[in-house]
Amino acid sequence: MKFSIGDATDRALCIALKHEFLRCDEAFAQFASAGEALIMQGQDRRRAYKAYDAYARFIHHLYEFALCAIARDRQDISTLQAVDADRYVSSYLQRSLQKRRDAILDGTAPAWENHISAFPESIPPSLATEFRRARNTALAHAGIKRPRLNLSDFYDRCHKFLHIFYRDAQSWWGRESDDFPDLEEITAFSLMISQNPPAQ
């Protein structure tokens, strides 16, 4: 379904983007905490589970955020085929990597940033496909593939690129202040169903 920037569909999509990024941000914070516990306190199954679960949620929400951003860029909320989604996600990941490299090369990167040699010129060709498959297997779809998915290997090879994209998106969609955003029915959710129950 096509829409125009600024119309009701676009406004709803922007709320969904903000919500999905907040979920991604929260999952990343939980992953960082769980990862620190795994490193500092040592490997055990419960700590490994918590780190895995937080990372699975991070990649899930980051991927969903990307799909929502793609819909906004296309001004079309119809579902993409996997091959098209991979192409768009690849372009987002590459653009974020290029922005990071450009900031290092033109001297606008923070002083603590890594040397340019830490960042290849392009993302791995299969990155978007691996991202989608890891998201599907680790969190979105339960099945026999999950216990066989080596998320540690995925993290080792792919996390740098996902983290660059995440930090790039954070500059636009992260929280800017302590005031929590109004996400309409999302932030209106309540366990108190009604102050005025219907008449019997």
Side-chain angles (χ1 to χ4, degrees), residues 16-28:
L17 272 161
K18 184 72 169 182
H19 182 224
E20 201 60 28
F21 191 81
L22 289 171
R23 294 169 106 183
C24 177
D25 205 31
E26 188 170 281
F28 185 78

Side-chain angles (χ1 to χ4, degrees), residues 101-115:
R101 287 179 51 83
D102 289 347
I104 295 167
L105 293 172
D106 69 19
T108 58
W112 46 259
E113 182 60 88
N114 289 322
H115 186 268

Side-chain angles (χ1 to χ4, degrees), residues 6 10 14 25 27 50 56 71-73 79 82-83 85 87 97 109 121 125 154 156 160 162-163 178 185 187:
D10 183 49
C14 286
D25 205 31
K50 287 183 177 182
R72 188 157 196 254
D73 282 352
T79 304
V83 67
R87 187 171 42 85
L97 173 61
E121 289 186 20
F154 175 84
D156 186 52
K160 170 172 42 179
L162 301 189
H163 189 260
D178 289 335
E185 288 299 325
T187 46

Side-chain angles (χ1 to χ4, degrees), residues 102-175:
D102 289 347
I104 295 167
L105 293 172
D106 69 19
T108 58
W112 46 259
E113 182 60 88
N114 289 322
H115 186 268
I116 190 68
S117 62
F119 303 99
E121 289 186 20
S122 58
I123 63 168
S126 64
L127 179 61
T129 302
E130 289 188 70
F131 183 16
R132 174 175 48 80
R133 288 180 180 159
R135 170 257 188 192
N136 289 348
T137 304
L139 190 70
H141 309 303
I144 62 171
K145 292 180 181 177
R146 188 171 294 168
R148 296 180 186 137
L149 172 68
N150 188 337
L151 200 58
S152 302
D153 178 61
F154 175 84
Y155 175 85
D156 186 52
R157 292 180 303 99
C158 303
H159 179 70
K160 170 172 42 179
F161 302 103
L162 301 189
H163 189 260
I164 291 169
F165 175 56
Y166 161 68
R167 289 295 185 203
D168 189 24
Q170 191 176 46
S171 67
W172 285 98
W173 295 96
R175 286 183 57 192

Side-chain angles (χ1 to χ4, degrees), residues 60-110:
H60 176 81
H61 293 306
L62 187 62
Y63 191 83
E64 287 297 307
F65 170 83
L67 291 181
C68 206
I70 290 164
R72 188 157 196 254
D73 282 352
R74 294 174 60 231
Q75 295 180 28
D76 187 346
I77 58 172
S78 59
T79 304
L80 283 174
Q81 295 296 316
V83 67
D84 296 320
D86 288 353
R87 187 171 42 85
Y88 275 105
V89 170
S90 286
S91 72
Y92 281 20
L93 295 167
Q94 181 62 44
R95 181 174 59 204
S96 293
L97 173 61
Q98 190 60 53
K99 282 174 67 176
R100 179 74 61 93
R101 287 179 51 83
D102 289 347
I104 295 167
L105 293 172
D106 69 19
T108 58

